[in-house]
Amino acid sequence: MADSAAPRPADFDSVAQTLERFADAGYFADERLATTVFLQTRLDKPVLLEGPAGVGKTQLATSLAAVTGRRLLRLQCYEGQDETKALYEWDYGKQMLYTQILREKIGQVVEDAADLHEAVERIAAQDSVFFSERFLAPRPLLEAIDSDEPVVLLIDEVDRADEALEAVLLELLSEFQISIPEIGTVRAKHLPYVVLTSNNTRDLSAALKRRCLHLFLDYPDAERELAIIRSKDTGLAESLAVRLVEIVRGLRELELRKSPSISETVDWARTLAVLGVEELTADVLSSTLNVVVKYERDLEKARRAIPLLVDPNRTVPDSRGGHGHGHGHGHGHDADHSHDEPEATSSAAPAALLDDGDVDGRAKRAAKDRPGRHDGAYGGVGGSSDDSRSADGKKVSASQGQRSFAARAARKRPV
């Protein structure tokens, strides 16, 4: 195990070259990300990438290893993870096996001991034999430090790990070394490129952030996401890929529990290409939504939004407005405008009829047809009074009204 890191040539000459080499490897970084990576290689600082899931944080470490020709070591963090799974652990089974094999030799060491205390002291003097690198099982963190070749160390989803593991990481991130009580301090032979990712499920400690170059990685703009789809050779036509990117970006604005990731957009493009889709219709997209939307509640919300995302100019007819009788005249509607048709009933009327059991309205019509329901001023007949008035306001008896009607009828009768 080396005491200091060996010098190495620079992997990137400039930010522009960093952008170019990542693009050649199929990773389309923007200027901010390329600058951060370039500074990481020059300042020997870890990089902490935070942001939503599926924006290319993990892929950055993979691409960095491919571009620089380094081996990738990955520590996948999870809740309840302890340092023995991240740093190292002792191979106790191997130690016990060696103890059994060397039992006779141990007996020879202590056979002439004067008492138990002296025997223990003699055995204790052999601790270095059983607590050595021979019995040490390195985990990703120690392996990255002790590697004979330079590596890229990915500490993925560090926000899922407990805070205790964060404390273990501090020595590694600041000094590129690990302290093992039984052996001592192990320093890096070659400084690794360390990339930490976080999906922001919890806040990371200020001590950890202070040791890293920090960058928040969000979803790419439409042009860069389209370039990613092109680079993956999905088989989807260019015009459809452009529309698909617009639709996916619209879905991300719906505040879903999990927004579609870039890799899922690529999967959707491949799905549509396999199905031979020639036009992005609401029906086709709704039937394949499960490729990019993974929760049932999100699926319902996305299905309702798809028609408008497919056709942003689509209008929904308003059933509450207009006349409701289907003609298309173009006159205005002022206060004096009216029709000879009966006034429309409210939408609540059918429900009211059903509520009282009068399904066809027969009982209500019969109630309105009872004799004497109107007073004398309603139509001049059938009221509670026999008197009516003429057009000039004079009082007219019922018998006078009948004679006048008969006279008009006689004049109109043909000879």
Side-chain angles (χ1 to χ4, degrees), residues 18-66:
T18 306
L19 271 172
E20 182 180 350
R21 291 179 63 184
F22 269 87
D24 291 341
Y27 189 93
F28 294 87
D30 58 14
E31 185 105 6
R32 291 171 58 247
L33 182 55
T35 301
T36 302
V37 172
F38 175 73
L39 292 176
Q40 174 189 25
T41 63
R42 292 303 182 92
L43 301 178
D44 293 326
K45 298 272 287 183
V47 170
L48 171 60
L49 300 176
E50 293 190 283
V55 295
K57 301 187 297 295
T58 301
Q59 184 60 42
L60 173 72
T62 303
S63 298
L64 179 60

Side-chain angles (χ1 to χ4, degrees), residues 331-342:
H331 56 70
H333 293 268
D334 55 25
D336 295 332
H337 175 69
S338 63
H339 295 281
D340 293 332
E341 297 172 7

Side-chain angles (χ1 to χ4, degrees), residues 63-281:
S63 298
L64 179 60
V67 166
T68 58
R70 295 179 172 223
R71 183 164 61 105
L72 177 67
L73 296 175
R74 179 171 180 170
L75 174 65
Q76 183 64 51
C77 299
Y78 55 88
E79 186 177 354
Q81 187 177 33
D82 58 23
E83 63 183 50
T84 62
K85 301 299 182 183
L87 287 170
Y88 63 88
E89 62 181 331
W90 291 105
D91 191 342
Y92 295 112
K94 191 175 182 180
Q95 287 174 327
M96 290 297 296
L97 176 63
Y98 272 61
T99 302
Q100 293 296 326
I101 294 174
L102 299 175
R103 180 182 300 174
E104 293 183 4
K105 195 66 177 178
I106 295 174
Q108 294 176 8
V109 170
V110 299
E111 64 181 355
D112 58 344
D115 52 27
L116 183 61
H117 176 74
E118 184 179 348
V120 170
E121 288 297 326
R122 290 184 180 184
I123 294 176
Q126 308 300 320
D127 280 353
S128 59
V129 174
F130 292 95
F131 288 95
S132 63
E133 296 177 41
R134 181 182 292 108
F135 301 102
L136 194 64
R139 297 308 179 199
L141 300 185
L142 178 58
E143 190 176 357
I145 292 296
D146 198 36
S147 174
D148 292 327
E149 299 294 333
V151 300
V152 173
L153 173 62
L154 169 62
I155 304 175
D156 207 15
E157 297 184 334
V158 67
D159 54 317
R160 294 186 180 277
D162 297 334
E163 293 181 3
L165 184 59
E166 277 191 51
V168 171
L169 291 174
L170 297 183
E171 181 183 13
L172 168 68
L173 299 179
S174 59
E175 304 294 336
F176 291 103
Q177 67 181 32
I178 292 175
S179 296
I180 303 175
E182 297 85 353
I183 295 178
T185 300
V186 182
R187 295 181 176 84
K189 298 176 181 179
H190 303 277
L191 296 184
Y193 291 151
V194 183
V195 178
L196 300 93
T197 73
S198 168
N199 293 336
N200 289 331
T201 58
R202 69 173 177 86
D203 290 334
L204 301 177
S205 68
L208 186 143
K209 287 191 173 186
R210 188 173 64 248
R211 287 163 169 78
C212 302
L213 297 173
H214 180 269
L215 182 66
F216 184 87
L217 204 60
D218 207 348
Y219 293 106
D221 56 32
E223 183 178 352
R224 191 152 61 91
E225 189 162 10
L226 183 59
I228 294 171
I229 293 178
R230 289 195 196 104
S231 70
K232 301 302 180 182
D233 193 21
T234 62
L236 191 66
E238 175 73 10
S239 58
L240 298 186
V242 172
R243 289 289 296 120
L244 184 65
V245 168
E246 294 173 354
I247 290 168
V248 168
R249 292 174 69 82
L251 290 175
R252 289 175 184 150
E253 295 177 0
L254 296 180
E255 297 183 357
L256 304 176
R257 179 177 175 183
K258 181 197 162 307
S259 295
S261 67
I262 301 173
S263 62
E264 287 167 336
T265 304
V266 173
D267 290 341
W268 205 4
R270 286 174 174 155
T271 299
L272 296 172
V274 168
L275 294 175
V277 172
E278 297 180 353
E279 182 183 0
L280 298 188
T281 64

Side-chain angles (χ1 to χ4, degrees), residues 251-319:
L251 290 175
R252 289 175 184 150
E253 295 177 0
L254 296 180
E255 297 183 357
L256 304 176
R257 179 177 175 183
K258 181 197 162 307
S259 295
S261 67
I262 301 173
S263 62
E264 287 167 336
T265 304
V266 173
D267 290 341
W268 205 4
R270 286 174 174 155
T271 299
L272 296 172
V274 168
L275 294 175
V277 172
E278 297 180 353
E279 182 183 0
L280 298 188
T281 64
D283 289 340
V284 168
L285 294 176
S286 296
S287 65
T288 55
L289 259 179
N290 58 305
V291 176
V292 294
V293 181
K294 304 303 173 65
Y295 292 93
E296 189 63 28
R297 184 183 63 185
D298 288 353
L299 276 171
E300 292 302 317
K301 186 183 294 186
R303 284 195 184 103
R304 290 194 297 269
I306 280 293
L308 191 58
L309 292 175
V310 171
D311 182 9
N313 297 320
R314 181 175 182 268
T315 58
V316 180
D318 187 359
S319 60

